[in-house]
Amino acid sequence: MTSPQNTEEKKAPTPEEEAQAAPARHGLVLILLILASVLTFTYQLPFKLAAIGFAIAAVVWSVKYIVAVVKTKQRRNMSLGILGGLLSIYLIFSTMSSVILWPVQSKYEECLRDAITQQAQLSCTSEYQSGLGDWFKQVTGQDLDLPGTN
């Protein structure tokens, strides 16, 4: 016995169906951009700058996502766009702080990379804190009072 064959052709999606599917596509791209930004943020300094690019793209894409959600009246899905945009802005500022402290931060990352023992890691942290204090004093003219370093 042979089964009857389906002779229906698949129809192209209508513009309405395309508009309803737009938030899902934008949401997927937004999640991928945020993931790329978070992953590149964990790299060491020269490569950490890529996080800024991904985060800026994620902010732009979160706006596109929110616009698509509002157009399709799917307001319950807006939280992804808002949270994604806020996380991306946070990553931009965090990465920029690393860039501002580039000399101190890169020396700390290099020290940690070469540290084998916990004592060496503690020494790196101590050098980092003193480097931050020196940088802060150079910029502001005041001593930096870090909690827990009294």
Side-chain angles (χ1 to χ4, degrees):
M1 290 204 107
T2 61
S3 61
Q5 292 187 1
N6 189 1
T7 58
E8 285 185 32
E9 293 182 24
K10 291 186 179 182
K11 296 179 184 177
T14 65
E16 261 183 38
E17 292 171 339
E18 282 287 326
Q20 289 294 324
R25 284 191 309 273
H26 289 308
L28 178 63
V29 172
L30 176 61
I31 289 170
L32 291 174
L33 285 170
I34 292 170
L35 182 63
S37 181
V38 169
L39 288 175
T40 55
F41 180 74
T42 62
Y43 293 161
Q44 290 189 350
L45 248 176
F47 306 108
K48 188 180 280 194
L49 294 176
I52 293 175
F54 285 123
I56 289 171
V59 168
V60 170
W61 215 269
S62 67
V63 171
K64 288 178 77 169
Y65 175 79
I66 291 171
V67 168
V69 164
V70 169
K71 280 184 181 179
T72 59
K73 297 182 175 107
Q74 299 176 3
R75 292 191 186 352
R76 66 186 183 279
N77 296 333
M78 196 177 300
S79 60
L80 173 65
I82 293 169
L83 291 174
L86 291 175
L87 175 63
S88 300
I89 290 169
Y90 170 76
L91 286 169
I92 290 169
F93 285 117
S94 296
T95 307
M96 289 304 294
S97 69
S98 294
V99 171
I100 290 171
L101 297 170
W102 188 301
V104 177
Q105 185 75 24
S106 63
K107 190 182 295 183
Y108 174 66
E109 289 174 356
E110 187 175 314
C111 182
L112 276 182
R113 185 180 58 227
D114 296 337
I116 296 173
T117 64
Q118 286 183 341
Q119 184 64 33
Q121 291 175 352
L122 289 173
S123 173
C124 291
T125 303
S126 175
E127 288 176 23
Y128 178 65
Q129 289 175 348
S130 67
L132 278 179
D134 294 343
W135 177 85
F136 189 78
K137 186 166 185 132
Q138 181 183 6
V139 171
T140 65
Q142 299 177 359
D143 289 331
L144 177 64
D145 185 25
L146 291 173
T149 59
N150 291 339

